[in-house]
């Protein structure tokens, strides 16, 4: 299995709130992400960043997504392009695919659907990339739902896996209990915040983190994963 540092994704959209939402979500999944607000800037970023996947909006100033897609495929045919549009019209989908787009999503779409489309493109066009994602002493294999610490597999429950994955991918960032509950247990979780403390204690035991050097507690703020 090949070990990677992360898949590179370029987001291109002229709506700042969409860019921010997608950028945060994809970074939380372990992807290396860059953003562009218009087509001309996107082409410059493609040349410098060499992304594996471009998420490309159709309606943009300066240069529309169709022209951007055409130019990307002329110079970087290996790059997967997923086009976004607010128009649910067959002719737009056909035009994009004719110009070389690899997939199409109509706004509004679910983030999970976008992740599935990205995964499908990676499996199809970059199968060698689908290995372990490495962060310091941790390696995460999402296909096997396995996390290794210092090259040794950890015996984790499904919830422990999701919690540790979330903390590793967001290492160095203070994560509040509310944030952890929303991301790991879901927005509709009706239990107590104390459940986070229980699982953090269990992870510390499994990581032999008796001195809390890996998972630090910041009183009144939450927890922070520090990679050693």
């Amino acid at each position: 299995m090949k070990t990677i540092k992360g898949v590179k994704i370029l987001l291109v959209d002229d709506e700042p709130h969409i860019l921010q939402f997608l950028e945060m979500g994809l970074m939380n999944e372990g992807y290396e992400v860059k953003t562009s607000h218009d087509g001309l800037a996107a082409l410059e970023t493609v040349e410098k960043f060499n992304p594996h996947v471009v998420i490309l909006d159709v309606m943009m100033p300066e240069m529309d997504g169709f022209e951007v897609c055409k130019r990307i495929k002329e110079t970087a045919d290996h790059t997967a392009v997923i086009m976004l549009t607010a128009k649910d019209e067959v002719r737009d989908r056909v035009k994009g695919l004719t110009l070389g787009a690899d997939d199409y999503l109509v706004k509004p779409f679910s983030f999970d659907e976008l992740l599935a489309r990205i995964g499908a493109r990676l499996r199809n066009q970059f199968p060698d990339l689908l290995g372990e994602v490495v962060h310091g002493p941790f390696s995460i294999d999402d296909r096997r739902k396995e996390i290794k610490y210092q090259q040794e597999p950890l015996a984790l429950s499904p919830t422990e896996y999701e919690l540790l994955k979330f903390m590793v991918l967001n290492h160095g960032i203070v994560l509040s209990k509310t944030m952890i509950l929303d991301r790991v247990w879901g927005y509709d979780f009706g239990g107590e915040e104390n459940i986070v403390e229980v699982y953090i204690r269990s992870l510390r035991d499994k990581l032999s983190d008796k001195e809390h050097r890996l998972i630090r507690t910041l009183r009144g703020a939450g927890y922070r994963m520090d990679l050693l």
Side-chain angles (χ1 to χ4, degrees), residues 11-218:
L11 298 171
V12 189
D13 200 304
D14 63 335
E15 298 185 49
H17 66 284
I18 292 179
L19 277 184
Q20 184 178 22
F21 170 75
L22 294 180
E23 180 182 22
M24 182 178 298
L26 291 172
M27 289 178 67
N28 283 342
E29 293 296 323
Y31 295 114
E32 182 180 353
V33 182
K34 289 190 180 298
T35 62
S36 295
H37 295 85
D38 62 67
L40 291 175
L43 291 176
E44 293 180 3
T45 305
V46 167
E47 184 176 352
K48 297 175 182 178
F49 185 48
N50 193 24
H52 299 97
V53 181
V54 177
I55 312 299
L56 177 62
D57 188 38
V58 168
M59 303 299 294
M60 291 185 299
E62 304 295 337
M63 182 184 297
D64 67 26
F66 295 126
E67 183 63 23
V68 175
C69 176
K70 178 183 175 182
R71 295 197 187 188
I72 289 175
K73 288 299 184 177
E74 287 174 349
T75 59
D77 185 56
H78 61 282
T79 300
V81 176
I82 301 175
M83 301 196 74
L84 308 178
T85 182
K87 297 180 179 179
D88 188 9
E89 297 182 8
V90 173
R91 64 181 181 181
D92 284 341
R93 295 199 295 272
V94 170
K95 182 176 180 180
L97 295 171
T98 301
L99 291 173
D102 300 281
D103 207 344
Y104 224 97
L105 270 176
V106 177
K107 296 179 179 178
F109 54 86
S110 73
F111 185 69
D112 286 342
E113 182 179 7
L114 177 61
L115 288 180
R117 300 294 182 96
I118 292 172
R121 299 281 29 105
L122 292 175
R123 287 191 297 273
N124 184 266
Q125 292 171 249
F126 302 98
D128 290 341
L129 287 174
L130 298 179
E132 296 175 326
V133 179
V134 177
H135 293 269
F138 293 95
S139 62
I140 303 172
D141 188 338
D142 215 25
R143 293 177 303 168
R144 296 169 59 90
K145 298 298 179 184
E146 179 182 78
I147 298 178
K148 295 178 183 177
Y149 176 59
Q150 296 179 338
Q151 300 184 349
E152 292 295 326
L154 297 169
L156 302 172
S157 70
T159 302
E160 288 173 338
Y161 172 84
E162 294 297 334
L163 174 57
L164 183 56
K165 173 186 170 183
F166 179 59
M167 299 192 74
V168 170
L169 294 180
N170 291 277
H171 64 89
I173 300 173
V174 178
L175 304 172
S176 68
K177 289 183 180 179
T178 300
M179 189 183 302
I180 292 172
L181 284 172
D182 287 346
R183 185 63 179 84
V184 178
W185 276 267
Y187 290 100
D188 58 350
F189 178 72
E192 297 291 332
E193 286 190 352
N194 290 341
I195 191 68
V196 176
E197 297 177 15
V198 174
Y199 276 83
I200 291 290
R201 190 179 307 120
S202 176
L203 288 181
R204 283 171 170 158
D205 288 342
K206 294 183 177 183
L207 294 169
S208 299
D209 187 24
K210 295 180 180 179
E211 298 180 357
H212 302 179
R213 297 180 62 206
L214 271 173
I215 303 178
R216 298 187 180 275
T217 300
L218 289 84

